Amino acid sequence: RHLVAALLTSGECSKIFCLVRAADPQSAQRRVEEALSKIGIAASEIIEAVPGDLSQRNFGRSFVEVQRMAGRVTHVFHSAARVNLTEPFDMMRKDNVDATAHLLEFCSMVRSKPFHHISTMGVLTPDMLDRHGSVRENAPLGDIRCMPLYGTGDQANGYPQSKWLAEMMVFEAARQGLPAFVHRPGLIGGNSLTGAS
């Protein structure tokens, strides 16, 4: 909701599509409006809520509908994720890895669209550090085997591993020519002025 609010208040968007898990367009629109109202943003006619599921190919919609939408969308911001530090990778894959793959495919439909992927600092590994102990923005992803362990046994690292794999797919898409950007916020919290989260 904060990302949508920022796009809305920027004044640079003529239309904002929000893909939302919902049964129909009215339910999707209601979910978006309720989320925005929680942070003090009024509904706007430039926001179009689209019912769908990122974890499904074509977002669970018909190919024709997705093609039509792909012709209208100019940029994609992907901030949806399943965040749980106790679940294993297999439980995170559908929402974090497959969803990213489906959005990358969407970004290649009709015309190329810049893809902004919101990831996590949890993908950083010690082998990414430079000699000053910093991770440069252009540092390639490190070896997944160097990732610090969260949890125990097969429960360890499901979330950061799924985000690491999603990032690898984004970097591969960029290598193949898609304008792609990875953003790794250190901490996502409430609004610094209102406290709304």
Side-chain angles (χ1 to χ4, degrees), residues 2 4 6 9 17 27 43 61 76 82-84 88 91 93 97 108 118 126 128 131-132 142 148 158 163 170 173 176:
H2 291 285
V4 173
T9 58
F17 295 95
S27 300
R61 303 180 63 78
V76 173
R82 181 176 183 147
V83 181
N84 188 314
M91 292 180 73
R93 182 183 189 107
V97 179
S108 302
I118 312 302
M128 295 174 69
R131 62 188 175 126
H132 303 293
K163 295 300 278 185
V170 173
Q176 293 181 25

Side-chain angles (χ1 to χ4, degrees), residues 4-158:
V4 173
L7 292 170
L8 192 58
T9 58
S10 75
E12 296 186 25
C13 300
S14 60
K15 192 65 150 172
I16 300 171
F17 295 95
C18 297
L19 192 67
V20 180
R21 284 186 181 162
D24 55 63
Q26 294 79 17
S27 300
Q29 193 71 32
R30 191 169 37 259
R31 282 193 68 196
V32 170
E33 290 173 4
E34 287 171 1
L36 289 174
S37 73
K38 288 179 182 177
I39 58 171
I41 302 292
S44 170
E45 65 280 350
I46 71 168
I47 297 175
E48 183 176 330
V50 178
D53 184 348
L54 289 175
S55 69
Q56 295 182 28
R57 190 135 193 232
N58 294 323
F59 317 132
R61 303 180 63 78
S62 76
F63 181 71
V64 171
E65 289 175 306
V66 173
Q67 283 283 94
R68 193 176 302 123
M69 189 168 56
R72 297 176 64 199
V73 170
T74 60
H75 294 72
V76 173
F77 293 86
H78 176 35
S79 63
R82 181 176 183 147
V83 181
N84 188 314
L85 298 178
T86 64
E87 292 181 346
F89 175 82
D90 290 343
M91 292 180 73
M92 309 297 268
R93 182 183 189 107
K94 187 175 169 186
D95 293 317
N96 295 348
V97 179
D98 297 349
T100 301
H102 299 149
L103 280 168
L104 289 168
E105 181 179 41
F106 176 78
C107 285
S108 302
M109 290 180 175
V110 182
R111 67 174 175 279
S112 183
K113 293 167 257 319
F115 181 71
H116 292 266
H117 179 73
I118 312 302
S119 189
T120 174
M121 298 281 284
V123 301
L124 303 181
T125 57
D127 58 336
M128 295 174 69
L129 296 171
D130 67 14
R131 62 188 175 126
H132 303 293
S134 301
V135 177
R136 302 182 65 89
E137 282 195 26
N138 63 350
L141 272 176
D143 188 334
I144 195 169
R145 294 170 296 181
C146 295
M147 197 172 275
L149 288 177
Y150 305 102
T152 58
D154 66 351
Q155 302 296 312
N157 289 356

Side-chain angles (χ1 to χ4, degrees), residues 155-166:
Q155 302 296 312
N157 289 356
Y159 175 68
Q161 286 176 349
S162 69
K163 295 300 278 185
W164 183 91
L165 185 53

